[in-house]
Every structure is written in C-alpha cells, then in structure tokens.
C-alpha cells in the first residue's frame, strides 16, 4: 500500500517493448513524485526490461503474471518481438488469458488506479467492479487516436471503414484540413487490425472498448504540439483526456553487460566527422521485406555516406524468413558502413556527434529520441500507426518520407540515396535539420514534462476514494 497521501498505481502495458518502455518512462516520473507503481507484465518481459535507477527501486515493483499457453504461440514467446507478425494474434489471445490473474492481483493490491493499454481492453471493466479507477494510457499520439475515431467506429457499431481505401482519407470527425491518413500500401499491410482474429476480437475493437471502459484517457502528447488533435479526442471520447508529455527516454542503468558492445560501436563512430553518419534502425517490431532490405542496402551504398545500420534479420526464432543483404554489399561498404544484427543502444548512438541523420520507421519513441538529440528524420514506414506518424511529421516539416508507390509501397535505391543526401547534406533539406532543433525544447523540456505529470496526478489524487464510474 502506498504511503499516506500517496497513490498506488498499477500499470499494464501491451506485451511489446515499444509499449513497455514508454510505460516504464511514465512509471519513473510517477515514482519520482513518491507514488508507488506496480508494473505488470510477464516474467520474461520483466527480466528483459532495463534496470531501474537505484533511487526508484523501492517505488516501482514489478509484478510477474505467467502467460497462459496458447496453441500456435511458440514456447517462451512473451513479446511481439519474439514472433513473426502473423503470430501476434496468438499473443493477444494469451494476453486475454491474464484476466483472472490480474483480477486476483488487483483484489489484494489496494490499488487506487490502473493505467492499461489497448490490448488488455478488459482491464478497465475489471477495475471498475473492484472499485479501482482506470486510465486508458495510449502510447500512440493524439493524431493517431484522433484519426482512428470514436468508440462506435472502433467497435464496429458504426460501419465507416469497410475496405482499405476508406482509411486513406481524413475522416469527417476531424474538422480541419489534414493529410494524416494511411497510404494504400500501409493500410493494406495492417488492415487485419479491423477484422476479428484468433483472439476473437479485432484490434480496433480493443481500442474502442479501452476508451469505453476507462474513467479518463492519457495520451503521449503535449498540448503545445498538437492542440487541435487533443480537442478532437475530447470531442469524440466525451471524457477527460490528459496529455502526459512526450516522455523522452532517460538513460537506464543497464549494468556492464553491454559495455563491450557500446565500446565497439563508439570506437567506430569516433572515427567519423561530426554529422557524417546516417543511423538506420526500424525498432523492435518492424521488419522490412527482403526486396525492401535490398533497396535500402543499395541506397546506402549509392549515397556514399557512412552508415550504422541496426538490422533485425528475423522476428524471433520461429520466423521462417531470414533477411539477407545483397551479394557483396558488406565487402563493398566495409570501409564506411556497419550492419549490426543484435541489440544496440539507440539513445547513445543518436547522442553521438558523428550521427547526422536517422533513417527510421516513424515509431514515436524513435522520433522522440531523434528530436532529443537533434537528428533530422528520413522516414520509411512498415507497420501499424507508422504511416499516420509519418504524415503528421511531414505536415510539421519534421521529417521527409522516402518517395514510394502509394499502391504497393515499392521504392528504389535511388530514392533512398537521394532522400538521405537531401535531409543530411543539401541546402533544400535544411528545413528538416532546423525544424528538429526548433522542436527539441517542446519535446524534452523537463519543467513542461513535470507539469503534465503533475496535472494528471492532481486529477488522480482528487478522485481518490471517490465512487468509481458506473
């Protein structure tokens, strides 16, 4: 139980590191204020999370819930990064099997609030029955949630998006001109999110029920950056919406186990001039297709820029497709490039002076980390909400997307090379380099970030011990 006047807050993110890490960042900020946080996940995921700063170790408690076995879900697969994309539906099915153990934990926890993600959409209803208030905490930003829409649309009660082409235009509940929408190739790759999968519900239904079941919504966002989109959320959700800031990543205590790897990487980066190197990484979820890897590789070669490429060649040990580089590529680029196929400390790499640009999938944590370190963005989307992020960044002149065929998503090595040189070297790409610097304070200002967390906590403290939403 939390100390007098302090809250006990339970956090339950979706089983993906792109979700768990921003949840952990918020947990650290809540704990800094003296509140007790119970961070719920599965044993293997918790063991793989970064170590906490010593001063927070007594305030953030990790709660391990054993993931039930599900047919077709590989052994030891507890996060999306452990499995190919088409097996993620089985992970959601297993996650749904955590309802009973989560209920048992909440019954004995004396929790005041629970913050839950879109996948465990049922957590809000469980909390309500137990007299615990709930927050749907979305690591997706306000433009993404605003584009996805109101509860009846998300749950399928109102049929608005029945085919992929319907997702390529701005919806009628967005009252201002916006290019935020998927390209046809982007939504075609993820349109399964609108259909019921092996778990019995669609991803969109999970979003809708998450909003419906909560007391308030918290969004990884800030009102100075996207006020019009936060207003859209207020309008369509009809309940309080709290921006919690951009949650820039703080350095973790990762111990000594990765020191050798970082030393090797740093030694290589140290050999290059300031701003010369392009860093290439697509996060823990996104895996390019083989033909895309080939074009990226040949584009890096054609650009003649030094590069450090973190390449995931497969998603987990059961992934049947192992990506390969073009024949002779590594030999031809050995003097100026590195292809790194294991975990790499992204925040440290982006913080190095020699890195002058970031070729990224547009995942929001990567975007925030780039802005933290003033690295201009070249965008190449693959999955989920990345296309929506990319459109928003394009609107703000904060990123340049590699030109692609809107229908099939194909791109050429020439377009990769030209895009990198435009953003990193050419005069006309200066707008992207300057805009990132201009936005840095908005994203990483500590006082502003504190105010967002204080505002959320003030509401949560005021509602403590009051009757829950019926």
């Amino acid at each position: 139980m939390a100390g007098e006047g302090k809250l006990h807050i339970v956090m339950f993110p979706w089983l993906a590191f792109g979700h768990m890490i921003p949840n952990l960042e918020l947990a650290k900020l809540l704990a800094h204020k003296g509140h007790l946080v119970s961070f719920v996940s599965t044993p293997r995921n918790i063991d793989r999370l970064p170590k906490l700063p010593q001063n927070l170790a007594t305030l953030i408690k990790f709660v391990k819930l054993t993931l039930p076995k599900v047919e077709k879900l590989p052994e030891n697969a507890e996060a999306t990064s452990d499995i190919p994309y088409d097996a993620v539906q089985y992970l959601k099915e297993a996650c749904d099997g955590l309802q009973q153990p989560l209920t048992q934990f909440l019954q004995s926890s004396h929790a005041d609030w629970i913050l839950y993600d879109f996948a465990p959409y049922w957590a809000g209803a469980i909390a309500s029955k137990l007299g615990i208030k709930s927050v749907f905490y979305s690591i997706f930003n306000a433009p993404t949630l605003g584009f996805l829409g109101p509860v009846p649309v998300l749950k399928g009660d109102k049929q608005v998006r029945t085919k992929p082409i319907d997702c390529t235009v701005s919806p009628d509940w967005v009252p201002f001109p916006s290019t935020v929408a998927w390209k046809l190739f982007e939504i075609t790759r993820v349109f399964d999110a609108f259909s019921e999968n092996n778990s019995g519900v669609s991803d969109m239904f999970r979003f809708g029920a998450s909003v419906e079941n909560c007391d308030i919504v918290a969004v990884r966002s800030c009102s100075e950056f996207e006020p019009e989109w936060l207003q859209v959320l207020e309008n369509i959700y009809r309940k309080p919406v709290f921006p919690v800031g951009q949650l820039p990543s703080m350095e973790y205590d990762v111990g000594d186990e990765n020191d050798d790897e970082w030393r090797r990487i740093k030694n290589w980066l140290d050999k290059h001039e300031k701003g010369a190197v392009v860093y290439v990484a697509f996060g823990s979820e996104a895996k390019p297709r083989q033909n895309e890897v080939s074009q990226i590789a040949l584009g890096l070669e054609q650009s003649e820029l030094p590069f450090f490429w973190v390449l995931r060649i497969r998603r987990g040990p059961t992934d049947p497709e192992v990506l390969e580089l073009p024949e002779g590529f590594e030999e031809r680029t050995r003097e100026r490039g590195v292809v790194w196929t294991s975990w790499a400390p992204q925040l440290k790499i982006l913080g190095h002076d020699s890195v002058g640009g970031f070729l990224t999938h547009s995942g929001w944590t990567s975007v925030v980390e780039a802005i933290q370190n003033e690295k201009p963005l070249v965008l190449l989307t693959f999955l989920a909400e990345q296309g929506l992020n990319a459109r928003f960044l394009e609107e703000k002149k904060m990123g340049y997307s590699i030109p692609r065929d809107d229908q099939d998503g194909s791109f050429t090595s020439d377009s990769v090379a030209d895009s990198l040189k435009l953003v990193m070297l050419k005069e006309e790409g200066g707008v992207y380099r300057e805009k990132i610097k201009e936005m840095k304070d908005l994203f990483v200002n500590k006082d502003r970030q504190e105010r967002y967390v204080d505002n959320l906590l003030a509401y949560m403290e005021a509602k403590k011990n009051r009757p829950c939403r019926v």
Side-chain angles (χ1 to χ4, degrees):
M1 188 181 293
E4 189 174 340
K6 295 301 182 180
L7 299 170
H8 179 191
I9 301 165
V10 177
M11 299 187 73
F12 186 21
W14 165 229
L15 308 177
F17 284 93
H19 289 243
M20 288 183 272
I21 297 300
N23 269 265
L24 197 54
E25 289 296 342
L26 183 55
K28 287 160 64 179
L29 292 169
L30 297 171
H32 267 298
K33 303 290 184 181
H35 300 285
L36 176 64
V37 178
S38 292
F39 194 98
V40 178
S41 193
T42 64
R44 192 158 175 259
N45 286 338
I46 286 172
D47 291 345
R48 288 183 286 179
L49 286 171
K51 291 179 183 176
L52 293 168
Q54 248 182 339
N55 64 318
L56 298 180
T58 59
L59 288 168
I60 300 177
K61 299 295 185 185
F62 291 112
V63 178
K64 297 181 177 182
L65 300 184
T66 302
L67 200 65
K69 291 190 182 300
V70 166
E71 190 182 355
K72 297 186 180 177
L73 185 66
E75 193 75 24
N76 294 323
E78 297 187 9
T80 53
S81 54
D82 298 328
I83 46 178
Y85 177 76
D86 59 5
V88 172
Q89 59 180 318
Y90 309 120
L91 187 63
K92 292 189 175 102
E93 183 183 356
C95 180
D96 290 341
L98 293 175
Q99 292 180 60
Q100 188 56 39
L102 180 69
T103 301
Q104 291 170 345
F105 168 70
L106 290 175
Q107 285 172 329
S108 63
S109 70
H110 304 289
D112 298 298
W113 286 83
I114 180 170
L115 278 67
Y116 64 91
D117 211 329
F118 85 100
Y121 63 96
W122 31 263
I126 290 172
S128 185
K129 288 176 186 173
L130 297 175
I132 298 168
K133 297 191 176 60
S134 63
V135 183
F136 168 44
Y137 168 42
S138 172
I139 61 104
F140 300 106
N141 59 21
T144 292
L145 291 180
F147 177 84
L148 293 181
V151 170
V153 171
L154 292 166
K155 292 183 70 179
D157 299 331
K158 185 178 178 183
Q159 293 293 319
V160 173
R161 292 166 173 151
T162 58
K163 50 191 182 301
I165 196 75
D166 299 331
C167 300
T168 62
V169 293
S170 185
D172 58 12
W173 55 82
V174 175
F176 46 82
S178 174
T179 61
V180 173
W182 276 295
K183 302 287 189 184
L184 188 61
F185 76 88
E186 291 168 336
I187 187 57
T188 300
R189 292 185 184 191
V190 295
F191 198 62
D192 57 333
F194 290 79
S195 306
E196 185 178 303
N197 56 41
N198 210 69
S199 70
V201 295
S202 71
D203 287 354
M204 290 302 113
F205 180 92
R206 289 177 189 274
F207 274 103
S210 294
V211 175
E212 186 175 55
N213 291 340
C214 71
D215 291 292
I216 64 173
V217 176
V219 187
R220 187 181 191 181
S221 172
C222 55
S223 51
E224 298 93 335
F225 182 56
E226 45 201 3
E228 72 282 10
W229 284 104
L230 287 164
Q231 187 59 57
V232 168
L233 297 186
E234 292 266 9
N235 295 344
I236 63 178
Y237 291 167
R238 297 175 187 171
K239 56 180 63 180
V241 175
F242 287 83
V244 296
Q246 297 293 355
L247 302 171
S249 301
M250 293 184 262
E251 284 289 0
Y252 288 94
D253 174 13
V254 295
D256 297 325
E257 65 269 24
N258 295 308
D259 283 0
D260 288 342
E261 285 90 340
W262 169 238
R263 197 173 295 113
R264 283 172 58 200
I265 294 168
K266 184 178 183 300
N267 286 343
W268 185 86
L269 292 170
D270 285 345
K271 295 173 185 173
H272 296 277
E273 293 178 9
K274 183 176 181 179
V277 176
V278 56
Y279 173 57
V280 186
F282 305 120
S284 59
E285 315 296 317
K287 179 190 165 192
R289 296 171 178 176
Q290 179 58 61
N291 64 317
E292 293 170 335
V293 166
S294 298
Q295 294 305 315
I296 293 165
L298 295 173
L300 288 168
E301 185 175 355
Q302 287 170 229
S303 75
E304 299 184 346
L305 292 165
F307 64 87
F308 190 95
W309 183 3
V310 180
L311 175 63
R312 276 195 85 205
I313 58 173
R314 68 196 306 192
R315 277 183 61 147
T318 61
D319 188 347
E321 185 190 25
V322 181
L323 297 174
E324 296 179 353
L325 294 163
E327 189 174 349
F329 168 76
E330 288 186 275
E331 288 73 24
R332 294 193 302 272
T333 60
R334 192 176 300 281
E335 295 303 312
R336 62 177 176 86
V338 170
V339 179
W340 192 270
T341 56
S342 57
W343 180 86
Q346 177 161 294
L347 202 57
K348 288 182 177 178
I349 294 170
L350 285 169
H352 198 281
D353 279 350
S354 70
V355 174
F358 184 13
L359 174 52
T360 173
H361 59 312
S362 310
W364 205 249
T365 293
S366 289
V367 169
V368 173
E369 290 181 350
I371 294 168
Q372 262 181 279
N373 291 287
E374 300 183 6
K375 308 303 183 187
L377 298 165
V378 181
L379 311 174
L380 190 63
T381 64
F382 297 103
L383 274 180
E385 86 294 358
Q386 293 162 12
L388 304 178
N389 291 344
R391 297 305 94 69
F392 187 56
L393 292 167
E394 290 162 11
E395 278 188 0
K396 296 274 190 180
K397 296 292 184 188
M398 292 171 63
Y400 179 82
S401 288
I402 290 175
R404 303 170 81 164
D405 184 292
D406 285 355
Q407 305 297 306
D408 65 12
S410 60
F411 58 91
T412 65
S413 57
D414 287 342
S415 64
V416 173
D418 291 345
S419 300
L420 291 172
K421 288 189 284 189
L422 169 73
V423 171
M424 289 179 63
L425 302 174
K426 292 188 176 177
E427 187 178 342
E428 57 265 41
V431 61
Y432 303 105
R433 300 190 291 273
E434 291 307 313
K435 199 70 175 179
I436 289 293
K437 293 176 184 176
E438 185 185 314
M439 287 292 177
K440 179 177 178 177
D441 184 67
L442 193 60
F443 272 60
V444 305
N445 183 287
K446 288 184 178 179
D447 291 339
R448 184 181 288 112
Q449 179 64 71
E450 291 264 325
R451 285 198 298 273
Y452 282 119
V453 173
D454 287 342
N455 192 35
L456 175 65
L457 283 169
Y459 183 92
M460 294 169 76
E461 288 165 344
K463 297 295 181 181
K464 184 179 178 181
N465 298 326
R466 291 191 182 181
C468 270
R469 167 190 52 81
V470 177

